[in-house]
Amino acid sequence: MAQENAAARRWPGPRRHRRGIAILLGSGLMIGLAGCAVGPHWSVPKMRTPPSYNARPAALPADEQKVQWTQQQARSWWLLFHSKPLNNYIQQAMQANPDLQAAHAALARQQALMVAAQGGLAPQVSANAGISRARALRTGADGGQSYRIPGNLYSLFLGTIDVSYNPDVFGRQKDLVHAARAQAAVTKANLHQSEVFLAADVSRAVISGAAARAQLHAARQIATADAHLLKLLQQEYKLGDQNLQNVEQQAAMTAAARARIAPLAADLAAARHALAALLGQTPNVALSIPALQSLHLPARLPTTIPSALAENRPDIQAATAEIKVAAAQADVATANLYPQFNISAEIGKAAMTGGLFFNPVSTLWSLGAGLAAPIYNGGSLHAERRAALDQYQVASDQYRSTVLNAFKQVADALRTLQGADTAYIQQKQAQQASARALHLAEARYRDGATDYATVLNAEIAYQQDSVAAIQGRSQRYLDSVALFVALGDGWQPDQPAPKAHSVPSETPMVNTAGAPA
């Protein structure tokens, strides 16, 4: 009889067999329904692409720079300044900047979360093993009263393999994967944006430092010239050929010129400190700031045409990925309204001796399927779905705002570049003219053909024009950087920098002002 019961446990009868087949068929049906995702489908809002950034032509008046329209990114745009120190500093910043390293770590984390989400689509397999030693309790009765006494010692060997699978019938897990993948795309676009801003910050620090260095050099030259003229006036005053008022005016001019040196030296130090922080170093590190003359104004400005801007701007790429994230989360909220299925299976061994553990008699197994469906939750699931759909609309509106702001920034950068170009031409001409006027005034003063007031006025004009010319030159560099940042061009170390090319013949011709020809 015991052998028959053991055989019955090992070989289930027809009824058990039919139940097992029914479970397997039901599981197969749920698996077949997997992938029937529910919820909205995402799409990028349609927006009209302008033919140009500016309404009116804004051609650059100088011949030193030309806008070259392209459909590609001008990667590694800082190379256009032809400054080896600048290139080296940007490469160092890309390797050592802590904020950028944090952005890389955030991307690695998000990619790991994406892999984790993908794991939810696969069956989960786990193994359990254990061994225990215990004494059983026996129950008896004496005079109508029950009692429990210790029984015999025994050992229990247990080992099982568990398999569980959640058929993604309504696409909930796939939507979670889509959300994780889209969030990784957002993080990658933010990393690209960080690279763009870092390259721009390093460029600004170097340019500002070079401008401060040039102004400091000019201030020292002016202070030296003022001191020389003051000494000359003092000698003439002692000889009775000059009045005290002119001497005091020149003394004031000399003191004012010397007073401008210290703030400019502080500006140069601040630029070094800012550069050191961007390089991940402490401010006490001695960094060399290149001369302003060593920086060359980019002869060509590769500028992405409006129709291709969305492909290059990292913030637009991030906004597009945010729409995907919101759509996937809305799909998840919709799938939460539907039942969730589960299939589980277990097979293992349980025995009281090691020899019996490997005997077929000690085999145990189970197979089951489950369903969990929301019935009543106070409307929270429907409210979560409405909130997710509203977030999708928010992401769509933010995308439109990001694109419009991108067009605005490029248009502003082109206009600012034009203004800086025009201003620098006038400032350079003013500096050259004031230098000639000062030279003539000093020569006439030495010959006694003019008074000191004329020399003083010429000197003041030259000082102001020299500072303005240096500032105008550095501003042209800074405005060129601002244009590249507005275009979203950034660091791509794994790809060579493509050469900018002219707009194809099928594209409407665009002049350098950002308006159709």
Side-chain angles (χ1 to χ4, degrees):
M1 188 65 180
Q3 294 177 353
E4 293 178 356
N5 293 334
R9 288 195 299 270
R10 292 196 303 270
W11 305 102
R15 183 176 298 176
R16 293 185 180 180
H17 187 63
R18 287 196 296 269
R19 285 201 300 267
I21 293 176
I23 293 174
L24 291 175
L25 290 177
S27 302
L29 178 61
M30 288 186 291
I31 295 174
L33 292 174
C36 299
V38 294
H41 297 284
W42 78 277
S43 62
V44 176
K46 295 182 179 180
M47 297 188 63
R48 186 183 66 86
T49 302
S52 61
Y53 294 109
N54 298 103
R56 296 182 179 180
L60 302 180
D63 295 333
E64 295 183 58
Q65 280 188 307
K66 295 296 181 182
V67 176
Q68 185 173 5
W69 296 98
T70 176
Q71 292 180 330
Q72 297 179 351
Q73 282 184 295
R75 304 185 192 275
S76 304
W77 46 262
W78 48 88
L79 298 176
L80 299 176
F81 288 95
H82 299 289
S83 173
K84 186 176 181 180
L86 175 61
N87 300 338
N88 293 336
Y89 284 145
I90 290 180
Q91 290 180 357
Q92 293 177 27
M94 293 297 174
Q95 298 296 327
N97 183 266
D99 293 332
L100 191 60
Q101 290 177 342
H104 280 285
L107 177 59
R109 172 185 176 274
Q110 199 58 49
Q111 290 173 339
L113 292 176
M114 180 180 65
V115 175
Q118 291 173 342
L121 294 172
Q124 307 298 309
V125 181
S126 61
N128 299 291
I131 181 173
S132 62
R133 181 74 170 169
R135 182 188 295 273
L137 294 177
R138 294 186 300 170
T139 302
D142 184 9
Q145 295 183 353
S146 62
Y147 61 90
R148 305 181 71 182
I149 61 175
N152 298 326
L153 291 171
Y154 72 94
S155 300
L156 179 63
F157 298 87
L158 180 65
T160 61
I161 295 178
D162 302 324
V163 180
S164 64
Y165 178 61
N166 297 97
D168 199 19
V169 177
F170 297 104
R172 180 180 184 275
Q173 191 61 39
K174 286 185 178 179
D175 294 331
L176 290 174
V177 174
H178 294 161
R181 184 179 294 116
Q183 190 60 52
V186 173
T187 308
K188 184 176 182 180
N190 290 336
L191 171 61
H192 186 188
Q193 184 81 305
S194 299
E195 292 169 343
V196 172
F197 289 160
L198 179 59
D201 290 341
V202 173
S203 300
R204 294 190 187 101
V206 171
I207 294 171
S208 299
R213 175 181 172 180
Q215 293 183 57
L216 179 61
H217 179 70
R220 286 172 176 169
Q221 285 186 326
I222 292 174
T224 300
D226 285 342
H228 178 72
L229 184 56
L230 175 61
K231 183 177 180 180
L232 178 62
L233 290 177
Q234 289 173 342
Q235 292 175 351
E236 292 180 350
Y237 175 73
K238 292 179 180 180
L239 297 175
D241 296 335
Q242 191 60 257
N243 59 60
L244 184 60
Q245 179 181 357
N246 292 340
V247 175
E248 294 299 334
Q249 286 180 341
Q250 183 59 36
M253 287 287 297
T254 303
R258 289 171 176 171
R260 286 191 288 269
I261 294 177
L264 291 173
D267 291 342
L268 179 58
R272 285 197 180 99
H273 299 163
L275 182 59
L278 294 172
L279 300 180
Q281 301 179 4
T282 55
N284 64 311
V285 177
L287 296 175
S288 175
I289 299 295
L292 189 62
Q293 293 80 3
S294 66
L295 296 172
H296 301 278
L297 194 68
R300 59 182 178 86
L301 295 171
T303 306
T304 308
I305 60 178
S307 61
L309 184 65
E311 301 177 3
N312 300 329
R313 285 265 303 206
D315 56 343
I316 298 180
Q317 296 171 354
T320 304
E322 289 285 4
I323 295 178
K324 297 181 181 180
V325 173
Q329 291 175 344
D331 289 343
V332 172
T334 303
N336 288 337
L337 300 173
Y338 295 86
Q340 305 296 325
F341 300 92
N342 175 265
I343 302 174
S344 62
E346 180 182 19
I347 186 170
K349 293 279 189 175
M352 300 181 66
T353 63
L356 189 59
F357 184 82
F358 297 98
N359 193 300
V361 177
S362 63
T363 301
L364 54 88
W365 62 269
S366 67
L367 178 66
L371 179 147
I375 297 177
Y376 178 75
N377 47 54
S380 61
L381 293 181
H382 288 278
E384 290 175 358
R385 182 177 184 273
R386 288 195 300 270
L389 292 175
D390 291 337
Q391 180 59 35
Y392 175 79
Q393 185 61 43
V394 169
S396 298
D397 293 337
Q398 289 177 343
Y399 171 85
R400 295 172 55 250
S401 176
T402 302
V403 173
L404 292 175
N405 185 62
F407 290 145
K408 171 187 174 298
Q409 289 181 356
V410 177
D412 290 344
L414 288 171
R415 284 295 182 182
T416 302
L417 197 64
Q418 176 202 17
D421 199 43
T422 303
Y424 176 71
I425 292 175
Q426 302 299 327
Q427 291 163 350
K428 189 64 176 178
Q429 293 176 353
Q431 181 195 28
Q432 293 172 351
S434 60
R436 292 192 297 267
L438 177 60
H439 179 73
L440 292 175
E442 290 175 344
R444 288 173 58 84
Y445 177 76
R446 286 193 297 268
D447 295 339
T450 187
D451 57 359
Y452 172 72
T454 303
V455 178
L456 184 62
N457 292 333
E459 183 182 10
I460 294 174
Y462 174 70
Q463 291 176 0
Q464 294 174 345
D465 293 337
S466 297
V467 173
I470 294 174
Q471 292 175 343
R473 181 172 182 172
S474 62
Q475 190 60 47
R476 296 176 76 194
Y477 296 149
L478 294 175
D479 291 337
S480 298
V481 172
L483 176 61
F484 289 126
V485 173
L487 296 171
D489 303 339
W491 174 261
Q492 295 291 340
D494 55 343
Q495 298 181 14
K499 296 182 179 180
H501 57 80
S502 301
V503 179
S505 58
E506 62 269 19
T507 305
M509 293 300 295
V510 184
N511 59 20
T512 57

